[in-house]
């Protein structure tokens, strides 16, 4: 049996995007535009909800402000390093930087998943239990759900970061991706990966699918309750309160499934790269516009805040 060449690696070489300078310039401008739009959209959502008393005291928008924080964090974890490498001849990331990126990428992504589940619980309480809504979704309950949404994913992310830190890597450490993620890093590992693969197939699946199942169950009860509403206007009004959230859920889990719920390929192709860009960069950019353009309460709050500051 041949002994693989292992070494203590201080940095990884990222082979993600095209090496052609013309393509890199176009990609740089595209990613920079996406990042600026993500910053603008999510910061607008956060400031608008914090500045408007009516939105701030509404549970749905309380969770939305934290989802905007997660989207902002997700874009910031990935895009600045990708932009830097597009301008650099040597496209590298340090060992510690790679582990840090993995930690925050997993942490923020799963926090977003739990926040979407918390928002589904809020919609369930509002539509299926309207008489008890104020007690079910009290400020204390919202704080508890938000705390769980940030704490559980942190433990999950810390577990994977510790497991990844214990791996040995083949020399040279060339990652066939534009970012550090678990599977691309495992591809350049020379260690026995059975433990981490077992964790991925058990704890990882529960962590990802748990919030999704909760969302599906919540909306099953929501749709059942809506169908019992006698008037068409009442049904439309009930559906409209869920429209933005459903759109974001479809985008989020559709993007996640296109990246993770498929057979793993050791050398990802263009299709895999595009799917990852959609999940890590496009969705954080699009989410704020879904909630502002499709939401009459957000637009009304924006007008109120603008009138207050223009006086």
């Amino acid at each position: 049996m041949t002994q693989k060449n292992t070494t203590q690696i201080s940095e990884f070489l990222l082979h993600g995007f095209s090496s052609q300078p013309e393509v890199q310039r176009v990609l740089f401008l595209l990613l920079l535009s996406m990042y600026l739009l993500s910053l603008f959209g999510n910061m607008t959502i956060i400031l608008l909800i914090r500045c408007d008393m009516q939105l701030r005291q509404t549970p749905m928008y309380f969770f939305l402000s934290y989802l905007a924080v997660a989207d902002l964090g997700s874009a910031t974890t990935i895009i600045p390093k990708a932009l830097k490498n597009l301008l650099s001849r040597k496209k590298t990331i340090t060992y510690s930087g790679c582990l840090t990126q993995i930690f925050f990428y997993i942490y923020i992504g799963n926090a977003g998943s739990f926040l979407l589940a918390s928002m589904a619980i809020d919609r369930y309480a509002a539509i299926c239990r309207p008489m008890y809504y104020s007690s079910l979704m009290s400020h204390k309950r919202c704080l508890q759900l938000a705390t769980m949404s940030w704490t559980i994913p942190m433990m999950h992310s810390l577990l994977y970061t510790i497991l990844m830190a214990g791996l040995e890597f083949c020399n040279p450490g060339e990652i066939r991706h534009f970012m550090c993620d678990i599977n691309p890093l495992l591809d350049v590992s020379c260690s026995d990966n059975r433990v981490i693969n077992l964790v991925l197939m058990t704890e990882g699946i529960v962590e990802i699918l748990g919030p999704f199942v909760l969302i599906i169950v919540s909306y099953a009860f929501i749709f059942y309750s809506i169908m019992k509403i006698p008037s068409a206007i009442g049904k439309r009004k009930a559906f409209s309160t869920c429209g933005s959230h459903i759109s974001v859920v479809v985008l989020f889990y559709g993007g996640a499934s296109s990246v993770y719920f498929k057979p793993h390929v050791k050398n990802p192709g263009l299709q895999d790269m595009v799917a990852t860009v959609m999940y890590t960069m496009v969705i954080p950019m699009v989410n704020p516009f879904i909630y502002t353009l499709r939401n009459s309460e957000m637009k009304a709050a924006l007008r109120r805040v603008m009138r207050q500051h223009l006086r």
Side-chain angles (χ1 to χ4, degrees), residues 291-309:
Y291 273 103
T292 52
L293 296 177
R294 296 189 47 148
N295 194 303
S296 58
E297 291 181 340
M298 289 292 292
K299 289 187 280 190
L302 183 59
R303 287 192 293 268
R304 287 196 299 269
V305 171
M306 290 180 66
R307 280 198 300 266
Q308 290 174 1
H309 285 82

Side-chain angles (χ1 to χ4, degrees), residues 51-265:
C51 292
D52 188 81
M53 180 73 71
Q54 188 172 327
L55 290 184
R56 193 166 66 244
Q57 294 179 344
T58 304
M60 186 69 172
Y61 298 106
F62 171 85
F63 293 122
L64 177 57
S65 66
Y66 284 110
L67 182 64
V69 171
D71 284 337
L72 196 59
S74 178
T76 302
T77 299
I78 303 301
I79 301 181
K81 185 60 180 177
L83 290 173
K84 181 177 180 294
N85 280 343
L86 282 171
L87 294 179
S88 304
R89 288 189 176 181
K90 190 178 181 183
K91 306 178 190 308
T92 60
I93 185 170
T94 64
Y95 176 80
S96 59
C98 188
L99 291 179
T100 301
Q101 190 175 68
I102 285 177
F103 173 81
F104 283 105
Y105 173 62
I106 297 174
Y107 174 39
I108 294 171
N110 279 277
S113 177
F114 274 82
L115 287 167
L116 287 173
S118 298
M119 295 167 80
I121 292 171
D122 172 74
R123 292 300 83 201
Y124 164 79
I127 295 173
C128 301
R129 296 288 184 269
M131 299 294 292
Y132 306 99
Y133 179 72
S134 58
S135 60
L136 289 173
M137 299 305 298
S138 63
H139 184 64
K140 180 180 179 182
R141 183 66 51 79
C142 290
L143 284 175
Q144 290 172 341
L145 287 171
T147 301
M148 288 175 58
S149 296
W150 289 105
T151 303
I152 296 175
M154 180 181 288
M155 299 298 103
H156 170 81
S157 181
L158 187 60
L159 170 64
Y160 283 102
T161 306
I162 292 172
L163 289 173
M164 299 303 291
L167 298 178
E168 291 183 339
F169 297 96
C170 303
N171 187 36
E174 297 185 3
I175 299 176
R176 301 289 176 180
H177 215 295
F178 64 85
M179 56 172 280
C180 285
D181 197 3
I182 291 176
N183 284 327
L185 209 58
L186 288 177
D187 290 341
V188 296
S189 169
C190 295
S191 300
D192 186 347
N193 299 330
R194 283 177 295 183
V195 172
I196 193 167
N197 285 325
L198 179 62
V199 174
L200 281 168
M201 294 300 296
T202 53
E203 189 272 348
I205 290 178
V206 171
E207 178 80 8
I208 294 172
L209 292 184
F212 180 67
V213 170
L214 184 57
I215 292 170
I216 295 298
V217 171
S218 297
Y219 272 104
F221 283 107
I222 288 169
F223 290 148
Y224 178 73
S225 297
I226 290 175
M227 295 311 296
K228 292 196 298 183
I229 298 175
S231 69
I233 295 175
K235 288 179 181 178
R236 278 199 303 271
K237 185 177 179 181
F239 274 121
S240 68
T241 64
C242 303
S244 298
H245 182 248
I246 292 173
S247 300
V248 172
V249 167
V250 170
L251 276 175
F252 181 89
Y253 286 101
S257 63
S258 66
V259 175
Y260 297 108
F261 295 111
K262 63 178 183 178
H264 173 58
V265 179

Side-chain angles (χ1 to χ4, degrees), residues 34-35 73 152 194 279:
M34 291 165 62
Y35 186 48
I152 296 175
R194 283 177 295 183
Y279 178 61

